[in-house]
Coordinates of all heavy atoms in Angstrom, one line a residue:
L44 N 48.1 99.3 -73.4 CA 48.2 97.9 -72.9 C 46.9 97.6 -72.1 O 46.2 96.6 -72.3 CB 49.4 97.7 -72.1 CG 50.0 96.3 -72.0 CD1 50.2 95.7 -73.4 CD2 51.3 96.4 -71.3
A47 N 44.0 97.3 -74.4 CA 44.0 96.1 -75.2 C 43.5 94.8 -74.4 O 43.0 93.9 -74.9 CB 45.4 95.8 -75.7
L48 N 43.7 94.9 -73.1 CA 43.3 93.8 -72.2 C 42.0 94.0 -71.5 O 41.6 93.2 -70.7 CB 44.4 93.6 -71.1 CG 45.9 93.3 -71.6 CD1 46.8 93.3 -70.5 CD2 45.9 91.9 -72.3
S50 N 39.0 93.5 -72.0 CA 37.9 92.6 -71.9 C 38.2 91.4 -70.9 O 37.4 90.5 -70.7 CB 37.6 92.0 -73.3 OG 38.7 91.3 -73.8
L51 N 39.5 91.4 -70.4 CA 39.9 90.5 -69.4 C 39.9 91.1 -68.0 O 40.2 92.2 -67.9 CB 41.3 90.1 -69.6 CG 41.7 88.9 -70.6 CD1 43.2 88.8 -70.6 CD2 41.0 87.6 -70.2
M198 N 54.7 83.3 -65.2 CA 55.8 83.0 -66.1 C 56.3 84.3 -66.8 O 55.6 85.2 -66.8 CB 55.4 82.0 -67.2 CG 54.5 82.5 -68.2 SD 54.1 81.3 -69.5 CE 53.3 82.3 -70.7
I200 N 59.2 85.0 -70.1 CA 60.1 84.3 -70.9 C 61.3 85.1 -71.4 O 62.2 84.5 -72.0 CB 59.4 83.6 -72.2 CG1 58.6 84.7 -73.0 CG2 58.4 82.5 -71.7 CD1 58.0 84.2 -74.3
I204 N 60.9 91.2 -76.8 CA 60.4 90.3 -77.7 C 59.4 91.0 -78.6 O 58.4 91.7 -78.1 CB 59.6 89.1 -76.9 CG1 60.6 88.4 -76.0 CG2 59.0 88.1 -77.9 CD1 59.9 87.6 -75.0
E206 N 57.7 89.8 -81.4 CA 56.7 89.0 -82.2 C 55.8 88.2 -81.2 O 56.3 87.9 -80.1 CB 57.3 88.1 -83.2 CG 58.7 87.6 -82.8 CD 59.3 86.7 -83.9 OE1 58.5 86.0 -84.6 OE2 60.5 86.7 -84.0
T207 N 54.7 87.9 -81.6 CA 53.7 87.3 -80.7 C 54.0 85.8 -80.5 O 53.6 85.2 -79.5 CB 52.2 87.4 -81.3 OG1 52.2 87.0 -82.6 CG2 51.7 88.8 -81.2
T208 N 54.6 85.2 -81.5 CA 54.8 83.7 -81.4 C 55.4 83.2 -80.1 O 54.8 82.2 -79.6 CB 55.6 83.2 -82.6 OG1 55.1 83.9 -83.8 CG2 55.6 81.7 -82.8
P209 N 56.5 83.7 -79.6 CA 57.0 83.1 -78.3 C 56.0 83.2 -77.2 O 55.9 82.3 -76.4 CB 58.2 83.9 -78.0 CG 58.6 84.6 -79.3 CD 57.3 84.7 -80.1
F210 N 55.2 84.3 -77.1 CA 54.2 84.5 -76.1 C 53.1 83.4 -76.3 O 52.7 82.8 -75.3 CB 53.6 85.9 -76.1 CG 54.5 87.0 -75.7 CD1 55.0 87.8 -76.6 CD2 54.9 87.1 -74.4 CE1 55.9 88.9 -76.3 CE2 55.8 88.1 -74.0 CZ 56.3 89.0 -75.0
E211 N 52.7 83.3 -77.5 CA 51.6 82.4 -77.8 C 52.0 81.0 -77.5 O 51.3 80.2 -76.8 CB 51.3 82.5 -79.3 CG 49.9 82.4 -79.7 CD 49.8 82.4 -81.2 OE1 50.6 83.1 -81.9 OE2 48.8 81.8 -81.7
L212 N 53.2 80.6 -77.9 CA 53.7 79.2 -77.7 C 53.8 78.9 -76.2 O 53.4 77.8 -75.7 CB 55.1 79.0 -78.3 CG 55.1 78.9 -79.9 CD1 56.6 78.8 -80.4 CD2 54.2 77.8 -80.4
S213 N 54.3 79.9 -75.4 CA 54.5 79.6 -74.0 C 53.2 79.5 -73.3 O 53.0 78.7 -72.4 CB 55.5 80.5 -73.4 OG 55.2 81.8 -73.7
V214 N 52.3 80.4 -73.6 CA 50.9 80.4 -73.0 C 50.3 79.1 -73.3 O 49.7 78.4 -72.4 CB 50.1 81.6 -73.4 CG1 48.6 81.4 -72.9 CG2 50.6 82.9 -72.7
K215 N 50.3 78.7 -74.6 CA 49.7 77.4 -75.0 C 50.3 76.2 -74.3 O 49.6 75.3 -73.9 CB 49.9 77.2 -76.5 CG 48.8 77.9 -77.3 CD 48.9 77.5 -78.8 CE 47.8 78.2 -79.6 NZ 48.2 78.4 -81.0
K216 N 51.6 76.3 -74.0 CA 52.2 75.2 -73.4 C 51.9 75.1 -71.9 O 51.6 74.0 -71.4 CB 53.8 75.3 -73.5 CG 54.5 74.2 -72.8 CD 55.9 74.0 -73.4 CE 56.6 72.9 -72.6 NZ 58.1 72.9 -72.9
L218 N 49.2 76.5 -70.4 CA 47.7 76.6 -70.1 C 47.1 75.4 -69.5 O 46.4 75.5 -68.5 CB 47.0 77.0 -71.4 CG 45.8 78.0 -71.2 CD1 46.1 79.2 -70.3 CD2 45.3 78.5 -72.6
F233 N 46.8 84.2 -63.1 CA 47.9 83.7 -63.9 C 48.6 84.9 -64.4 O 48.0 85.8 -65.1 CB 47.3 82.9 -65.1 CG 48.3 82.4 -66.1 CD1 49.6 82.0 -65.8 CD2 47.9 82.2 -67.5 CE1 50.5 81.6 -66.7 CE2 48.8 81.8 -68.4 CZ 50.1 81.4 -68.0
S234 N 49.9 85.0 -64.1 CA 50.7 86.1 -64.6 C 51.5 85.7 -65.9 O 52.2 84.7 -65.8 CB 51.7 86.6 -63.6 OG 52.6 87.5 -64.2
I235 N 51.3 86.5 -66.9 CA 51.9 86.1 -68.2 C 53.2 86.9 -68.4 O 53.8 86.9 -69.5 CB 51.0 86.3 -69.4 CG1 50.4 87.7 -69.4 CG2 49.9 85.2 -69.4 CD1 49.6 88.0 -70.7
G236 N 53.7 87.6 -67.3 CA 55.0 88.2 -67.3 C 55.0 89.5 -68.2 O 54.0 90.1 -68.5
G237 N 56.2 89.9 -68.5 CA 56.4 91.1 -69.3 C 57.1 90.7 -70.6 O 56.8 89.7 -71.2
G238 N 58.0 91.5 -71.0 CA 58.9 91.2 -72.1 C 58.5 91.8 -73.5 O 59.2 91.5 -74.5
L239 N 57.4 92.5 -73.5 CA 57.0 93.1 -74.8 C 58.0 94.1 -75.3 O 58.5 95.0 -74.6 CB 55.6 93.9 -74.6 CG 54.4 93.0 -74.4 CD1 54.3 92.6 -72.9 CD2 53.2 93.7 -74.8
M264 N 55.2 93.5 -83.0 CA 54.0 93.3 -82.2 C 53.5 94.6 -81.5 O 54.3 95.3 -81.0 CB 54.4 92.3 -81.1 CG 53.3 91.9 -80.2 SD 54.0 90.8 -79.0 CE 55.1 91.8 -78.1
T265 N 52.2 94.8 -81.5 CA 51.6 96.0 -80.8 C 50.8 95.4 -79.7 O 50.5 94.2 -79.7 CB 50.7 96.8 -81.8 OG1 49.7 96.0 -82.2 CG2 51.5 97.2 -83.0
P266 N 50.3 96.2 -78.8 CA 49.4 95.8 -77.8 C 48.2 95.1 -78.4 O 47.7 94.1 -77.9 CB 49.0 97.0 -77.0 CG 50.1 97.9 -77.2 CD 50.7 97.7 -78.5
A267 N 47.7 95.6 -79.5 CA 46.5 95.1 -80.2 C 46.8 93.7 -80.7 O 46.0 92.7 -80.6 CB 46.0 96.0 -81.3
T268 N 47.9 93.5 -81.4 CA 48.2 92.2 -82.0 C 48.5 91.2 -80.9 O 48.2 90.0 -81.0 CB 49.4 92.2 -83.0 OG1 50.5 92.8 -82.4 CG2 49.0 93.0 -84.3
Y269 N 49.2 91.7 -79.9 CA 49.5 90.8 -78.7 C 48.2 90.3 -78.1 O 48.0 89.1 -77.9 CB 50.3 91.7 -77.7 CG 50.6 91.1 -76.4 CD1 51.7 90.2 -76.2 CD2 49.9 91.4 -75.2 CE1 52.0 89.7 -74.9 CE2 50.2 90.9 -74.0 CZ 51.3 90.0 -73.8 OH 51.6 89.5 -72.6
A270 N 47.3 91.2 -77.9 CA 46.0 90.9 -77.3 C 45.2 90.0 -78.1 O 44.5 89.0 -77.7 CB 45.2 92.1 -76.9
A271 N 45.2 90.3 -79.4 CA 44.4 89.4 -80.4 C 44.9 88.0 -80.3 O 44.0 87.1 -80.5 CB 44.6 90.0 -81.8
K272 N 46.1 87.7 -80.1 CA 46.6 86.3 -80.1 C 46.4 85.7 -78.7 O 46.0 84.5 -78.6 CB 48.1 86.2 -80.3 CG 48.5 86.5 -81.8 CD 48.2 85.4 -82.7 CE 48.7 85.6 -84.1 NZ 47.9 85.0 -85.1
L273 N 46.5 86.5 -77.6 CA 46.5 85.9 -76.3 C 45.1 85.9 -75.7 O 44.8 85.0 -74.9 CB 47.5 86.6 -75.4 CG 49.0 86.5 -75.8 CD1 49.8 87.0 -74.7 CD2 49.3 85.0 -76.0
L274 N 44.3 86.9 -75.9 CA 42.9 87.0 -75.3 C 42.1 85.7 -75.5 O 41.6 85.2 -74.5 CB 42.1 88.2 -75.8 CG 42.6 89.5 -75.2 CD1 41.6 90.6 -75.6 CD2 42.8 89.6 -73.7
P275 N 42.0 85.2 -76.7 CA 41.2 84.0 -76.9 C 41.7 82.8 -76.1 O 41.0 81.9 -75.7 CB 41.3 83.7 -78.4 CG 41.8 84.9 -79.0 CD 42.6 85.7 -78.0
L276 N 43.1 82.8 -75.8 CA 43.6 81.7 -75.0 C 43.3 81.9 -73.5 O 43.1 80.9 -72.8 CB 45.1 81.6 -75.2 CG 45.7 81.3 -76.6 CD1 47.2 81.5 -76.7 CD2 45.2 79.9 -77.1
L277 N 43.3 83.1 -73.1 CA 43.3 83.4 -71.7 C 41.8 83.6 -71.2 O 41.6 83.3 -70.0 CB 44.0 84.7 -71.4 CG 45.6 84.6 -71.7 CD1 46.2 86.0 -71.5 CD2 46.2 83.6 -70.7
Q278 N 41.0 84.0 -72.1 CA 39.6 84.3 -71.7 C 38.9 83.1 -71.0 O 38.3 83.3 -69.9 CB 38.8 84.7 -72.9 CG 37.7 85.7 -72.6 CD 38.1 87.1 -73.0 OE1 39.1 87.3 -73.6 NE2 37.4 88.2 -72.6
P279 N 39.0 81.9 -71.6 CA 38.2 80.8 -71.0 C 38.7 80.3 -69.7 O 38.1 79.6 -69.0 CB 38.4 79.7 -72.1 CG 39.0 80.3 -73.3 CD 39.7 81.6 -72.8
L280 N 39.9 80.8 -69.3 CA 40.6 80.3 -68.1 C 39.8 80.7 -66.8 O 39.8 80.0 -65.8 CB 42.0 80.9 -68.1 CG 43.0 80.3 -67.1 CD1 43.2 78.8 -67.4 CD2 44.4 81.0 -67.4
I284 N 44.2 87.9 -64.9 CA 45.5 87.9 -65.6 C 46.4 89.0 -65.2 O 45.9 90.2 -65.3 CB 45.3 87.9 -67.2 CG1 44.4 86.8 -67.6 CG2 46.6 88.0 -67.9 CD1 45.0 85.4 -67.4
L285 N 47.5 88.7 -64.7 CA 48.5 89.7 -64.4 C 49.5 89.9 -65.5 O 49.9 88.9 -66.2 CB 49.2 89.3 -63.1 CG 48.8 90.0 -61.8 CD1 47.3 89.6 -61.5 CD2 49.6 89.6 -60.6
M286 N 50.0 91.1 -65.7 CA 51.1 91.4 -66.7 C 52.2 92.2 -65.9 O 51.8 93.0 -65.1 CB 50.5 92.2 -67.8 CG 50.0 91.4 -68.9 SD 50.1 92.5 -70.4 CE 51.9 92.3 -70.7

Side-chain angles (χ1 to χ4, degrees):
L44 207 50
L48 299 171
S50 64
L51 273 181
M198 75 177 189
I200 55 172
I204 301 165
E206 31 182 327
T207 51
T208 313
F210 290 108
E211 216 184 331
L212 289 178
S213 50
V214 167
K215 274 189 181 151
K216 179 156 182 197
L218 216 48
F233 176 32
S234 170
I235 54 174
L239 289 83
M264 180 181 69
T265 65
T268 55
Y269 175 82
K272 290 285 188 211
L273 295 187
L274 287 189
L276 299 173
L277 297 171
Q278 213 99 13
L280 195 56
I284 300 300
L285 260 61
M286 266 205 80

